[in-house]
Amino acid sequence: MSSPASHPTGGASSCPGPDVDPAAVADCLSAVLARLRWGSDGVPEVAARATRLVLPALTTLAALRPLLGPWDGIVHRRCRLVPLGGPEGAARSVGAEGTRGGRGCDGAAGPPAGGAPSWSAAARGWRTLTVSLLDGATEVTHWLARHDGGDPKAAGLAGTGPRAGAPTAVAPTPPGTRVPGPGAPRRGPGADTGTAPPGAAPPPGAGREGPALLLTPADVAAWARATGDRNALHLLPGAAARAGLGAGETEIVAHGTLLAALSLAVAPARRADLRLVAPAVVPPEGLRLRLAPDGDVLSEGDVLLRRR
């Protein structure tokens, strides 16, 4: 087996890395959110609240990383947070496709019951996994995917359709097609190429209001250090392109949990279904994001994270 790749943030990509550092997570969020104008709540308070809300997702992912083999190239498709007890929800089975986890003796996230979770059989070059774990009083379910064999450039993530977020094929860009400008997201099949017919419906995120900010590669690297998630997709330019995520050779993809934290900052909730419907491709000059009041995260009118 080859040695795992080293990353600029330190550590090795195929190891679980250090524990999640809540203080560093809050600092990272504060630095990003400081670029926005807030109402009555100050940035430190907003960042601290969002950190508390997203922390179960971060700690359960950290518990999964050593069980899933090489972490590089694994794509986060969806994360659901459900508080246990009370009127909002109670413990329940995840279903046939899911693997239920437990909690450690200190109440923190523990490994799934029965050992390492199992990936699905490959379909169109991708394997998928749905796993649920407990972190304190919160049940967290993660939907993950990884490419498995074949040409990784022949696969990507679609943002629309009946299986939004599922891996699908991405056709080559036809000659003369308008390429999105710097900071614009890369989209899957059916994306607007600048030649939409008259009367066509606008994209789902068109005209959405909300504060805007620029997310930079430095922000993504800081998030990797704070969470211990050193997946090469987030740190090594070109790794996302080789994984078929529609990114360029100089670009990275932001963590889904970072988008989730920004969503929870503007629309806080203990119960949340966060669907990562398109990769947040970050070029060297940064990615322009808009945070909708309902918690959706958009870029150039395209929805990257959809709240349900």
Side-chain angles (χ1 to χ4, degrees), residues 131-192:
V131 60
S132 184
L133 298 97
L134 298 179
D135 182 80
T138 303
E139 181 184 71
V140 186
T141 305
H142 295 287
W143 283 258
L144 306 173
R146 71 178 180 189
H147 194 264
D148 184 41
D151 181 5
K153 293 184 179 181
L157 295 180
T160 58
R163 298 185 62 208
T168 62
V170 174
T173 303
T177 299
R178 179 173 61 85
V179 178
R186 279 25 175 202
R187 293 170 281 184
D192 175 23

Side-chain angles (χ1 to χ4, degrees), residues 76-111:
H76 207 177
R77 299 167 55 207
R78 180 181 172 192
C79 177
R80 185 176 64 204
L81 304 170
V82 178
L84 301 181
E88 285 203 63
R92 64 188 187 282
S93 64
V94 179
E97 65 171 345
T99 301
R100 189 66 179 270
R103 71 181 76 185
C105 59
D106 58 355

Side-chain angles (χ1 to χ4, degrees), residues 7 11 17 38 64 77 99 105 113 138 151 173 210 218 233 242 245 247 287:
H7 291 160
W38 294 92
L64 281 174
R77 299 167 55 207
T99 301
C105 59
T138 303
D151 181 5
T173 303
L233 298 177
R242 292 186 289 276
L245 295 184
L287 174 67

Side-chain angles (χ1 to χ4, degrees), residues 23-257:
V25 169
D27 288 344
C28 180
L29 280 178
S30 291
V32 176
L33 295 173
R35 299 163 199 162
L36 304 174
R37 291 188 177 182
W38 294 92
S40 57
D41 289 334
V43 168
E45 290 77 12
V46 171
R49 180 178 60 199
T51 298
R52 289 193 298 270
L53 292 172
V54 80
L55 198 57
L58 300 177
T59 54
T60 48
L61 271 185
L64 281 174
R65 281 198 291 272
L67 303 177
L68 298 183
W71 185 246
D72 283 349
I74 291 180
V75 178
H76 207 177
R77 299 167 55 207
R78 180 181 172 192
C79 177
R80 185 176 64 204
L81 304 170
V82 178
L84 301 181
E88 285 203 63
R92 64 188 187 282
S93 64
V94 179
E97 65 171 345
T99 301
R100 189 66 179 270
R103 71 181 76 185
C105 59
D106 58 355
S118 299
W119 292 88
S120 70
R124 298 189 305 278
W126 288 85
R127 293 182 182 272
T128 59
L129 173 69
T130 303
V131 60
S132 184
L133 298 97
L134 298 179
D135 182 80
T138 303
E139 181 184 71
V140 186
T141 305
H142 295 287
W143 283 258
L144 306 173
R146 71 178 180 189
H147 194 264
D148 184 41
D151 181 5
K153 293 184 179 181
L157 295 180
T160 58
R163 298 185 62 208
T168 62
V170 174
T173 303
T177 299
R178 179 173 61 85
V179 178
R186 279 25 175 202
R187 293 170 281 184
D192 175 23
T193 61
T195 57
R208 299 284 293 276
E209 298 296 328
L213 59 83
L214 185 71
L215 187 71
T216 69
D219 298 325
V220 178
W223 191 258
R225 290 192 296 270
T227 63
D229 186 347
R230 295 179 172 85
N231 190 323
L233 298 177
H234 311 309
L235 295 170
L236 299 182
R242 292 186 289 276
L245 295 184
E249 287 297 329
T250 64
E251 297 170 326
I252 58 174
V253 171
H255 301 73
T257 52

